[in-house]
């Protein structure tokens, strides 16, 4: 057993799916990569996401009270890296959607763009928790609508195996582990049934 430097301890847990957070307010919009998103509750469904107070996305979601979680896939890995290494706040006359020629579609319950090509989307309304937001950059939100690409998610389950494996492999969710390195969701393994 090797000791892990505490500044890297989060990486032991931080291989859940990388997400792209989209936000919009008053005619402005942004998209950013975020690895720290987590399911919190079932009914109503809730999520948590960490959004640093210095980000442009934070400004927009605090103003609007909404955001969307987009789950990108292997086919989008280079785009995710680019989006994660730039700030929409540095683009006063345009936005990352225009710079990267991104195609979006409208969310149904909130006013936020959703990114085409992802494999899942969650529309979220913030549950105000000022202490958590200001102290820990932690936002709690209710999921008000969710969608998924039926090629890889149906009947409440992810499934990345099938007849067109080459296509399905490109639709696997990605998991950032540091320094531009990602894992792709791997092989499904079914546990045996209890005796």
């Amino acid at each position: 057993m090797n000791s892990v430097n505490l500044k890297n301890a989060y990486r032991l847990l931080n291989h859940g799916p990388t997400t792209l957070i989209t936000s919009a307010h008053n005619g402005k919009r942004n998209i950013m990569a975020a690895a720290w998103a987590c399911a919190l509750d079932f009914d109503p469904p809730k999520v948590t996401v960490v959004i640093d107070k210095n980000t442009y996305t934070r400004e927009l979601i605090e103003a609007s009270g909404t955001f969307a979680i987009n789950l990108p896939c292997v086919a989008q890995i280079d785009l995710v890296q680019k989006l994660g290494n730039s700030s929409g706040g540095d683009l006063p006359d345009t936005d990352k959607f225009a710079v990267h020629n991104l195609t979006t579609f409208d969310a149904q319950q909130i006013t936020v763009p959703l990114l085409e090509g992802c494999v899942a989307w969650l529309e979220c309304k913030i549950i105000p928790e000022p202490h958590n937001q200001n102290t820990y950059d932690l936002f709690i939100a209710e999921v008000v609508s969710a969608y998924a690409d039926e090629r890889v998610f149906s009947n409440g389950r992810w499934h990345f195996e099938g007849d067109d494996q080459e296509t399905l492999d490109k639709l696997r969710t990605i998991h950032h582990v540091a320094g531009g390195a990602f894992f792709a969701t791997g092989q499904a393994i079914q546990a045996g049934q209890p005796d």
Side-chain angles (χ1 to χ4, degrees):
M1 184 166 55
N2 288 328
S3 178
V4 173
N5 186 315
L6 289 180
K7 74 175 186 171
N8 295 325
Y10 75 92
R11 292 181 181 170
L12 297 173
L13 297 174
N14 194 38
H15 56 280
T18 296
T19 66
L20 293 171
I21 306 296
T22 50
S23 55
H25 180 69
N26 205 21
K28 296 179 181 179
R29 59 189 186 160
N30 196 44
I31 183 168
M32 69 170 275
W36 294 0
C38 177
L40 177 65
D41 202 354
F42 297 107
D43 189 18
K46 296 180 192 77
V47 294
T48 62
V49 63
V50 175
I51 306 290
D52 187 272
K53 60 183 59 68
N54 297 315
T55 63
Y56 184 49
T57 292
R58 170 88 172 245
E59 178 184 326
L60 295 176
I61 68 172
E62 286 184 326
S64 69
T66 63
F67 63 91
I69 298 174
N70 303 254
L71 270 74
C73 58
V74 169
Q76 297 169 303
I77 194 168
D78 291 331
L79 173 63
V80 170
Q81 184 70 12
K82 288 175 188 172
L83 294 172
N85 287 324
S86 63
S87 172
D90 294 338
L91 304 169
D93 300 325
T94 188
D95 61 34
K96 288 200 247 184
F97 295 94
V99 168
H100 297 287
N101 198 29
L102 302 180
T103 303
T104 63
F105 60 99
D106 293 334
Q108 294 184 14
Q109 301 296 318
I110 60 176
T111 309
V112 171
L114 303 178
L115 181 64
E116 281 193 12
C118 290
V119 293
W121 305 263
L122 295 90
E123 298 180 24
C124 304
K125 288 187 179 179
I126 293 173
I127 299 169
E129 291 284 349
H131 174 73
N132 288 333
Q133 292 165 206
N134 296 328
T135 305
Y136 305 110
D137 296 329
L138 179 71
F139 287 80
I140 299 172
E142 181 177 345
V143 178
V144 295
S145 196
Y147 323 92
D149 185 325
E150 65 186 354
R151 294 175 293 177
V152 292
F153 189 91
S154 59
N155 300 318
R157 304 261 189 252
W158 288 105
H159 45 84
F160 294 102
E161 288 83 24
D163 292 336
D164 186 358
Q165 196 59 54
E166 185 176 340
T167 296
L168 294 175
D169 285 344
K170 291 177 184 174
L171 297 176
R172 292 178 185 273
T173 56
I174 56 177
H175 311 264
H176 187 256
V177 292
F182 293 81
F183 289 125
T185 297
Q187 175 185 2
I189 302 170
Q190 183 67 44
Q193 299 299 318
D195 294 336

